[in-house]
Amino acid sequence: MTDPQAVVLNETIQKENPAVYAMLSERGKQIFFPKMGILAQSAQAKGKDINATIGEAVADNGKSMYLPEFDNYLKLEVENIFPYAPSFGKPELRALWKQFIYKKNPSLGSQTMSLPIATNGLTHAISMAGYMFANEGDSVLIPDLFWENYDLIFNKSYGATISTFNSFSNNGFDVAAFAQAMAQVKGNKIITLLNFPNNPTGYTPTVAEAEQIQQAILQEAEKGKQIVVIIDDAYFGLVYEQGVFMESIFTKLCNLHSNVLAVKLDGPTKEDYVWGFRVGFMSYGIKNGSAALYEALEAKTAGAVRGNISNINVNST
Ligand SMILES: Cc1ncc(COP(=O)(O)O)c(C=O)c1O
């Protein structure tokens, strides 16, 4: 039976945009971020003389209890190292990353998107996207030259099928093959994943191709298809040639059509050369996306994070 807390989120999503509800996997429909139980009790206990609700040791000064030997190695504030971070990610970190997205993608302008949810690197963000949207038996459309981990995530973990289409024709992205592959998907829901610059080829579409990709997706959306576009921006910014699309393809999709949900996965791993930090983000954009819709999707995503890894290990901004 669906938990009443998930029902509330599902009803919100259905009311705000029924197409988005139809895109959710069964797992995505069941998941919620718990507001009752231990988290509610912790909130109630805040500021009380005795707080016996949460599994963290606190010293008499109210800060985390920790072994003094750490003082020799760590320079950050105690409260930025030892306590749990929220499953959503620290609010300051989420706000800062969203600010970066707008700064690095000027054509986003005043278009709206969700706040990013913090994940344990992009790999985990891809897995959370699979959790939210991929049912067993769904197909995930990907160009035929792709990062092999997509298979471990979508197929081996979630039971979806990877369907590929030809990556290139005439020295460019094969938009026709992409359009044809989308048109051939059975049923109303299409899940596709775009990764630019692409691993393994390094390819990023030209400005004209980015527009053609946008049009191909729009065409399917106008036919009534509900399309989840997962955007793996792991190598965002590593673009140097004239005429190549410099921004994330998210900018072309996040306000395209109310049947197109753009799911942006990004993070500092390769953008900022911090491979071992294990920080990533998952953000949503859809035409006419309301605050209520985004908050419900964020709550579900944070619930999925909580049920997998609890929270990421970065507390500090
Ligand atoms: C296309 C692509 N996406 C995602 C990742 C993983 O990123 P992260 O290390 O943040 O999990 C890689 C790493 O090689 C990659 O090539």
Side-chain angles (χ1 to χ4, degrees), residues 120-126 147 149-150 195 197-200 232-235 266-270 274-275 278-280:
N120 194 37
L122 271 99
T123 307
H124 180 232
I126 299 163
W147 188 42
N149 209 0
Y150 298 151
N195 162 229
N198 168 269
N199 178 3
D232 178 348
D233 274 343
Y235 296 92
D266 53 18
T269 312
K270 292 157 205 287
V274 288
W275 304 273
R278 310 315 304 147
V279 185

Side-chain angles (χ1 to χ4, degrees), residues 141 177-187 190 220 223 225:
L141 276 187
F178 177 45
Q180 194 184 19
M182 280 194 289
Q184 282 170 352
V185 172
K186 293 199 175 68
I190 298 176
E220 288 305 309
K223 285 187 207 161
K225 296 281 175 134

Side-chain angles (χ1 to χ4, degrees), residues 91-108:
E92 307 90 293
L93 178 66
R94 299 174 68 202
L96 195 64
W97 191 258
K98 186 170 176 177
Q99 226 175 296
F100 283 161
I101 291 176
Y102 277 86
K103 198 169 157 200
K104 294 175 184 179
N105 295 279
S107 68
L108 271 179

